[in-house]
Amino acid sequence: MHTVITRFPPSPTGYLHVGGARTALFNWFYARHTKGRFVLRIEDTDSVRSTQASADSIFEALEWLGIDWDEGPYFQSKRFHIYAEYVQKLLDTGHAYYCTCSSEKLDAMRQQAMATGGKPKYDGTCREKQLCKSNDAVVRFRAPLTGTTIIHDVVKGDIVFQNAEQDDFIIQRSDGTPTYNFVVVVDDITMGINTVIRGDDHVNNTPRQIMLYQALGAELPVFGHLPMVLGKDKTRLSKRHGAMSVTAYRDMGFLPEAMINYLIRLGWSCGDQEFFTREELIEKFSLEHIGKSAGVFDMDKLLSLNADHIKATPPRSLTPHLLPFLKARGYAAEEGHYLDQVILTLNARSKTLDEMAEAARFYYEETVSYEPAAADKFLISDALGPLTLLVQKMETLSGFTVAGLETVFLSVMEETGLKLGKIAQPVRVALTGKTASPGIFEIMEILGKNQVITRLKQAIRYIA
Ligand code: GLU
């Protein structure tokens, strides 16, 4: 069996956006599923728009998503000698020719075509002139004039193009630089790429690319063109719909596992299953179940999947993702047993890591700040008696565990004749500043005896 070799070739003209990340993931998971190889290539031939900073931000986003590459990153800007060699190959075999038509002449050609309702295309003036290399000559591909070119697309099925519609496109400009479709094909051939999965905005480039493969005598890769990602209003996803950059989702508190799960499901399915771990996706991802219709990016679905992944991730694996959010709030948080416990009380109630860090505030704050409404309602003179009794009993409590604390509460309930709620709510506000929180017995065990007693005393002073 041959080894599947896929690739991701972003143009470094900005950050990695969610649509690009989805394409990368489809190629990466297919390579991993088939135990193949995944190649990273930076398409930076447009020297005006390409920047190293963009390339670096793309690497950063890929690394965050956990997408690693087996080869590369290759930079097209370092491969001009290879492209020149392939231009020469096509010239030598008669599949390309020099053309010296001026831009005025080309404009006139275009205008005439438009006036007669035809598709603007090169009229072949220099096709049979056997011109030699010169300073103002471009190199054109000698495209077939008749017949059809067919993409056997694994997503869309066969797409047929009439060759008469194509023209002798330029493969090398007069300044010697190669053009886009040409370098893509040379790279894909020389890198051994046999599976090309990309956005369907590239469908129209594909017949030209197929012609180049044929002229170079190379085997065609498998092509699959993914439908675009749309916003909720069914227009192409753009900034209007929200954040586009992958790292913006990291900064909002999404887990990479949730992001890859969401993006893969945006165009691929496996029965009704929504939640996938990375390992499951590697096991199950295939090209057979890629959807033909566009995926709609839905923030609510992504949030709910993120909540599921937060819940399913063991504390120690969640810690490195959560720590930046805790540190950004100035908490002295670090990996360890305390943080593990904190996470376990919050992981079923947080949609994002940012939300989780905010909910963890009381675990790290030196002095609890009370929400005014919570304090007004529960830190009142009625609470003085039970709070004072609780402090007394806790001071002599030997083990500070959920079980021990439950006994303390029971005896205070007996002595005061109050129901649990009447005691628990003031305690909750005293410990967390809020009226809603994880279970107070768990919180107390985690905060520990000193902190709990300090906070209850603080509340008593506040009431008094
Ligand atoms: N560089 C192209 C892009 O960023 C990808 C080309 C391809 O996949 O063939 O859209």
Side-chain angles (χ1 to χ4, degrees):
M1 248 199 48
H2 79 301
T3 306
V4 166
I5 307 181
T6 67
R7 57 17 163 223
F8 179 56
S11 308
T13 54
Y15 47 69
L16 180 65
H17 57 81
V18 289
R22 187 187 62 147
T23 304
L25 285 165
F26 274 62
N27 284 286
W28 187 82
F29 274 112
Y30 189 55
R32 293 292 169 262
H33 172 75
T34 57
K35 302 204 166 30
R37 300 175 66 71
F38 175 75
V39 177
L40 180 62
R41 174 169 86 224
I42 301 299
E43 304 209 317
D44 60 347
T45 48
D46 181 345
S47 59
V48 179
R49 294 176 62 226
S50 302
T51 65
Q52 184 62 42
S54 293
D56 290 340
S57 78
I58 292 169
F59 300 150
E60 183 190 336
L62 291 174
E63 277 164 27
W64 177 68
L65 287 169
I67 299 182
D68 53 356
W69 45 93
D70 306 303
E71 256 180 65
Y74 293 110
F75 287 81
Q76 286 184 329
S77 57
K78 305 239 158 67
R79 294 169 54 84
F80 278 62
H81 59 289
I82 302 174
Y83 308 135
E85 200 182 295
Y86 274 78
V87 169
Q88 195 55 49
K89 254 186 205 174
L90 289 176
L91 284 166
D92 290 348
T93 53
H95 288 292
Y97 61 88
Y98 287 107
C99 163
T100 51
C101 289
S102 64
S103 52
E104 292 77 34
K105 187 171 161 63
L106 295 172
D107 277 346
M109 243 180 250
R110 213 168 291 131
Q111 265 160 24
Q112 202 194 333
M114 266 145 61
T116 55
K119 205 173 153 189
K121 61 181 253 187
Y122 182 64
D123 69 0
T125 301
C126 297
R127 191 172 161 115
E128 305 305 339
K129 281 190 185 164
Q130 312 280 349
L131 295 176
C132 293
K133 186 175 180 170
S134 62
N135 280 345
D136 56 349
V138 301
V139 179
R140 287 186 182 273
F141 178 64
R142 191 188 302 274
L145 300 172
T146 56
T148 54
T149 297
I150 305 173
I151 313 176
H152 300 294
D153 193 294
V154 288
V155 179
K156 295 178 183 288
D158 282 2
I159 311 173
V160 181
F161 293 84
Q162 297 300 323
N163 291 343
E165 297 277 305
Q166 303 295 330
D167 69 353
D168 287 357
F169 54 92
I170 296 173
I171 57 173
Q172 184 179 281
R173 301 179 189 91
S174 54
D175 65 3
T177 57
T179 56
Y180 173 74
N181 281 307
F182 177 69
V183 297
V184 167
V185 170
V186 172
D187 282 344
D188 285 341
I189 291 173
T190 51
M191 293 171 190
I193 307 298
N194 51 29
T195 311
V196 170
I197 303 169
R198 60 188 171 197
D200 66 6
D201 48 337
H202 288 286
V203 165
N204 286 328
N205 287 326
T206 311
R208 289 179 166 190
Q209 296 183 2
I210 290 178
M211 289 173 174
L212 287 167
Y213 275 95
Q214 289 163 340
L216 288 164
E219 205 177 312
L220 286 180
V222 170
F223 286 108
H225 288 94
L226 305 173
M228 292 285 99
V229 181
L230 304 181
K232 260 191 163 168
D233 57 0
K234 303 285 166 73
T235 63
R236 190 174 171 173
L237 192 67
S238 72
K239 278 185 197 143
R240 287 181 300 115
H241 297 102
M244 289 290 284
S245 125
V246 167
T247 46
Y249 287 86
R250 173 194 66 193
D251 301 342
M252 283 187 269
F254 287 90
L255 279 175
E257 306 302 305
M259 209 64 200
I260 63 175
N261 185 165
Y262 184 70
L263 290 175
I264 275 286
R265 280 286 293 107
L266 208 57
W268 173 83
S269 59
C270 182
D272 294 335
Q273 191 173 343
E274 292 288 351
F275 181 97
F276 292 88
T277 61
R278 185 183 300 266
E279 289 67 35
E280 265 179 301
L281 286 172
I282 291 175
E283 186 195 316
K284 294 184 174 168
F285 184 78
S286 73
L287 302 184
E288 276 93 66
H289 298 284
I290 297 179
K292 282 190 175 40
S293 51
V296 174
F297 193 86
D298 180 340
M299 191 66 173
D300 295 329
K301 269 198 189 157
L302 174 57
L303 275 168
S304 110
L305 209 46
N306 199 43
D308 293 343
H309 277 274
I310 286 177
K311 200 167 150 187
T313 307
R316 284 294 159 100
S317 309
L318 199 71
T319 297
H321 299 289
L322 179 63
L323 273 178
F325 293 92
L326 298 171
K327 296 245 160 83
R329 287 174 167 78
Y331 310 159
E334 53 188 39
E335 183 188 86
H337 180 68
Y338 186 77
L339 182 52
D340 293 348
Q341 302 295 107
V342 168
I343 289 174
L344 288 173
T345 62
L346 298 173
N347 65 0
R349 0 177 358 118
S350 311
K351 284 207 169 76
T352 67
L353 297 169
D354 193 50
E355 219 179 277
M356 193 177 210
E358 191 48 43
R361 182 174 291 280
F362 70 88
Y363 282 117
Y364 291 96
E365 259 176 352
E366 276 299 316
T367 337
V368 180
S369 39
Y370 307 130
E371 274 179 3
D376 287 353
K377 187 154 180 213
F378 294 107
L379 297 187
I380 50 175
S381 53
D382 287 0
L384 265 183
L387 288 180
T388 312
L389 263 179
L390 278 173
V391 170
Q392 278 168 15
K393 290 180 192 287
M394 282 179 186
E395 271 168 342
T396 57
L397 186 65
S398 53
F400 209 74
T401 60
V402 170
L405 287 161
E406 275 171 358
T407 349
V408 167
F409 269 67
L410 276 176
S411 76
V412 173
M413 282 160 70
E414 259 167 40
E415 280 178 43
T416 59
L418 292 169
K419 293 220 172 71
L420 178 63
K422 286 272 176 224
I423 307 173
Q425 275 311 75
V427 170
R428 191 187 304 280
V429 178
L431 298 177
T432 71
K434 296 191 167 84
T435 52
S437 76
I440 53 164
F441 294 111
E442 285 79 20
I443 292 179
M444 286 190 282
E445 186 176 311
I446 295 168
L447 286 171
K449 188 168 180 171
N450 281 342
Q451 263 303 314
V452 170
I453 291 176
T454 307
R455 290 181 188 202
L456 293 180
K457 284 183 174 166
Q458 181 200 335
I460 290 168
R461 277 198 305 278
Y462 175 88
I463 297 170

